[in-house]
Every structure is written in structure tokens, then in C-alpha cells.
Amino acid sequence: MLDFTYLCSKLRLKSFYKSFSLGYSLGQVPPPKFVVWDCTRRCNLDCKHCGAKKESYEKELSTSEVKEIISELANYNVEYFTVTGGEPLVRKDLLEIFAFAKSQGLKTGLATNGFFIDDKNCKDIVSVFDSVQISIDGREKTHNEIRDNPLAFQKAVGAIKLLKRNKCKQISVSSVISPINLIDFEYLADLMHEIEIDFWKVVSVMPIGKVKNCKSLYLSKEDFIKLLRLTEKYREKNKGKLRIEFGENLGYLGKYDKKVREEPFFCPVGFLACCIGVDGSVRGCPEQPDISLFQEGNVLKTSLQEIWERGFKKYRDLDFHEEAECGECKFRDDCRGGCRVMRLDKINCSVSRYDI
């Protein structure tokens, strides 16, 4: 059944690429379905693998600036407006902003460490966010060491329980797997089943932020294959009960792709999604460093519609076909060059990197 689901998704993906490419060749680009707001670099925790420590900003977008952007997104028929950081809940205006987004007909999402979700604000959070993602990276001791805070695990699990009690529409957990916490994978899988979340996203570290100077957090070939096999095992064990999503940053996974994913590898950047940064700069996703290599424009100077329709050419023009390592690869149409953030350290091809 899993293979059939994957095959059907692969056919739909090929159809999507074909349709998008045809429209693009005629100068027609549909609006993005998802826009992520990377709202702040401020955070109350200090994770060992943090990628948000890659830039600093003199100021953040103001409440009125974000509301104006939201109005534009709604008029442009964007469907989803979600927020990440840093820790989004350090912004005192966050609930006001997303109440406005809901009033404009947008579907909303929040990625948070859960620390600031409590009895006082949980009902309001559930009312303005259609989905909430909480980060949990191991059992209590491991998670707290990674976060450098003795209360981090308790707060994250507590937040999930509060969200469930207040009938949050969708709750997910994201786990960043590294040599530090791979040993906790089975504990995490059992915990996800126990607390009855909607889906669990499994990713690895990326060569940005603090990891740039700490490559010991990369998974070895042995560890990575172990992660794939554990993911496959728990997908089989929990099918129909817990959806496990394997992160886009690891790209196409060869023979394992259909074993650890319900849908084929697909990076939506430039096709369905983009990111608005702390100061209004537009790039592909929150993980991409906010530098000229990835920047497509700024919404304080140019409309998102113009940026979206005129930018993101490297994703749509299939520039990876011209690269020596990708051009002749038999998997190039499955991989499409892999994750562009992982390319920064030339670790974007999991098939060759891990010999899978």
C-alpha cells in the first residue's frame, strides 16, 4: 500500500512539473501556495544545531508593515501564511498579526519551541493558528542539553498537551537528528505515538548558523543508513496512525526514498513556496541564509507578486542540468539538484554522499 501511495504521488508530481513548466514558458506563474515569514532572530534557547544564528538585523518588520504584506498575500490568492524564527512568540504582536491574517482568509501555521505556550495564551494561539509545530529532539536529558535549558523538554511536551486540550486543528513535531540524539530515535518514535500528534517531521542538521563551525553534527554513512532503516521500521509499525515526513534538506534518497517517504522528494521553493525574511527580504525558505545568493527582492520595495513572477529563475530554469555532478546523473529528475542550502557545503547529494 505504501508503494502504491508513493507511486501515485510521483505521477501527480510529474504532472505538476509539466503543467508548471508549460505555464512558465508562456510567462504564466501561479501565486505561491505557501509564504513563510521568518519573523525574528531572537530566541530564549540556544540550540547546538541552530541555523537561525546565521544573521543579525538592526530591526524587524513592524506590525503595520506585516499587516500590509498580509493584505497583499490575500489579494494575490496565497493560501497559507506561516511563521518561524528564532522563536516567533517573543514578538508581542504575533497573535494580533495572525488574527488579522485569519480575518483575511489565510490559513496559518506556527513553528515554535513551545516554551511560551501556557494556560493563559493557548486558547488564543489555537484560535489564530490552524497548525502548530513543536520542536523535540530527544528524551528529556538529551533535549535539554541540546537546548541548553533544563525546562525545554517539559515545556515542549506540556505545550503539545495544552494544544490538544484546546483542540488545535493540527499538531506536528520536528526533530533534528544528529549523532547527539540518534540513539533516542526509537524513544522519540514511541513518544510521538503516545502523545498522538498528527505528523512527525524528521530532518538533519544543515551547514548554516552554528553548524558551520561544528561539522561533527553531520551524520556518518553508518548513522544515516541507521536513521533510514529506523524511519522505515516505524513507518511500517505506525502506518495509519502516525505520519512520518522525512526532511526535504536530505534530497532524493535513492532506493530508500519510497521506504521513508509517503511522497517523493519535492522542494517547493520557487514553485509553491517562498520566505519573507526578518527585514522583508524574499528568499526561497527560512533555512537559506539571507544573502545575495538567495535573495530575490524585498517586499518593502517591490510587491511580492512582482518578485515571485520575475524571480526564482534558477529553480524554474533547471540550472542544475548544467552542473557536472548533476547533468548526467540518472536521478537528476528525481533529485533536481537537491537542497540548495546543503549545496553550500557540497552535501546536497545523499545518494553519492551515503552511497545509497
Side-chain angles (χ1 to χ4, degrees):
M1 181 62 184
L2 292 178
D3 283 357
F4 179 73
T5 301
Y6 181 92
L7 177 60
C8 289
S9 296
K10 190 168 186 176
L11 292 173
R12 286 194 297 270
L13 181 57
K14 285 184 176 181
S15 177
F16 167 79
Y17 279 135
K18 185 176 181 179
S19 175
F20 187 97
S21 296
L22 177 60
Y24 180 56
S25 69
L26 298 172
Q28 300 170 358
V29 178
K33 187 174 184 178
F34 306 92
V35 174
V36 184
W37 176 31
D38 180 13
C39 74
T40 186
R41 282 290 171 271
R42 293 177 287 151
C43 188
N44 58 307
L45 301 179
D46 188 21
C47 303
K48 295 182 186 296
H49 58 255
C50 180
K53 296 289 174 87
K54 54 190 182 293
E55 303 99 11
S56 60
Y57 299 85
E58 291 184 5
K59 65 176 185 177
E60 301 169 354
L61 292 173
S62 68
T63 307
S64 60
E65 286 171 336
V66 181
K67 286 184 176 181
E68 189 173 335
I69 292 166
I70 287 170
S71 295
E72 181 192 343
L73 300 184
N75 290 331
Y76 189 34
N77 293 322
V78 171
E79 289 186 42
Y80 294 86
F81 183 57
T82 63
V83 64
T84 186
E87 172 47 51
L89 287 170
V90 302
R91 283 196 59 135
K92 302 302 181 185
D93 59 356
L94 195 76
L95 296 184
E96 176 188 345
I97 286 170
F98 277 84
F100 179 74
K102 289 288 288 182
S103 75
Q104 298 301 297
L106 291 164
K107 297 174 183 176
T108 57
L110 166 68
T112 173
N113 59 40
F115 206 92
F116 296 121
I117 298 177
D118 56 31
D119 284 312
K120 295 178 181 178
N121 64 18
C122 190
K123 190 172 183 179
D124 291 333
I125 288 172
V126 168
S127 72
V128 300
F129 289 107
D130 296 300
S131 64
V132 179
Q133 177 180 284
I134 307 284
S135 300
I136 300 180
D137 290 331
R139 63 183 70 244
E140 185 168 8
K141 182 175 184 296
T142 308
H143 182 82
N144 290 346
E145 286 178 355
I146 291 172
R147 295 286 188 278
D148 195 27
N149 188 298
L151 297 177
F153 181 86
Q154 175 188 334
K155 291 283 191 178
V157 174
I160 292 172
K161 291 178 179 178
L162 281 171
L163 291 166
K164 288 184 69 68
R165 192 180 308 156
N166 284 276
K167 297 181 169 44
C168 181
K169 295 183 184 73
Q170 184 183 83
I171 305 169
S172 63
V173 166
S174 176
S175 300
V176 180
I177 305 299
S178 73
I180 297 174
N181 62 349
L182 179 60
I183 193 172
D184 286 352
F185 185 91
E186 293 182 87
Y187 167 84
L188 280 169
D190 289 337
L191 176 65
M192 299 307 112
H193 179 68
E194 178 187 332
I195 59 181
E196 298 181 321
I197 60 168
D198 294 294
F199 68 91
W200 180 30
K201 187 167 187 177
V202 176
V203 301
S204 73
V205 300
M206 304 179 80
I208 52 175
K210 295 170 76 172
V211 176
K212 283 179 68 176
N213 300 313
C214 192
K215 295 183 181 180
S216 61
L217 292 177
Y218 289 173
L219 291 169
S220 66
K221 176 182 175 181
E222 179 182 358
D223 283 347
F224 187 69
I225 290 176
K226 181 178 180 181
L227 172 62
L228 292 172
R229 289 175 176 167
L230 284 169
T231 303
E232 181 184 4
K233 170 186 171 182
Y234 276 87
R235 281 193 70 224
E236 283 289 341
K237 179 180 179 181
N238 293 299
K239 60 185 176 183
K241 300 176 183 176
L242 174 64
R243 180 185 174 102
I244 303 177
E245 295 189 356
F246 217 73
E248 297 93 341
N249 65 316
L250 289 164
Y252 178 66
L253 299 168
K255 64 185 179 183
Y256 284 99
D257 208 62
K258 65 182 179 181
K259 296 180 179 180
V260 300
R261 289 183 167 129
E262 290 188 25
E263 300 175 351
F265 164 70
F266 169 60
C267 176
V269 169
F271 296 96
L272 293 176
C274 66
C275 171
I276 297 173
V278 175
D279 65 356
S281 290
V282 176
R283 61 192 194 275
C285 71
E287 289 72 30
Q288 291 182 349
D290 196 358
I291 56 177
S292 59
L293 175 65
F294 296 113
Q295 290 167 348
E296 303 287 343
N298 190 296
V299 289
L300 297 183
K301 300 175 182 178
T302 311
S303 72
L304 182 77
Q305 180 171 352
E306 184 176 340
I307 293 170
W308 178 255
E309 292 178 357
R310 295 187 179 184
F312 297 94
K313 293 185 183 300
K314 57 180 171 281
Y315 309 94
R316 300 164 183 167
D317 291 341
L318 309 181
D319 64 352
F320 63 89
H321 280 186
E322 300 171 10
E323 299 177 6
E325 65 270 31
C326 296
E328 300 301 321
C329 178
K330 66 180 180 179
F331 299 124
R332 72 176 190 176
D333 291 330
D334 295 300
C335 176
R336 300 177 75 88
C339 172
R340 290 179 184 259
V341 179
M342 301 295 262
R343 281 196 207 187
L344 294 173
D345 202 25
K346 298 181 179 179
I347 54 173
N348 53 298
C349 182
S350 291
V351 172
S352 61
R353 182 184 177 195
Y354 295 116
D355 192 24
I356 54 175

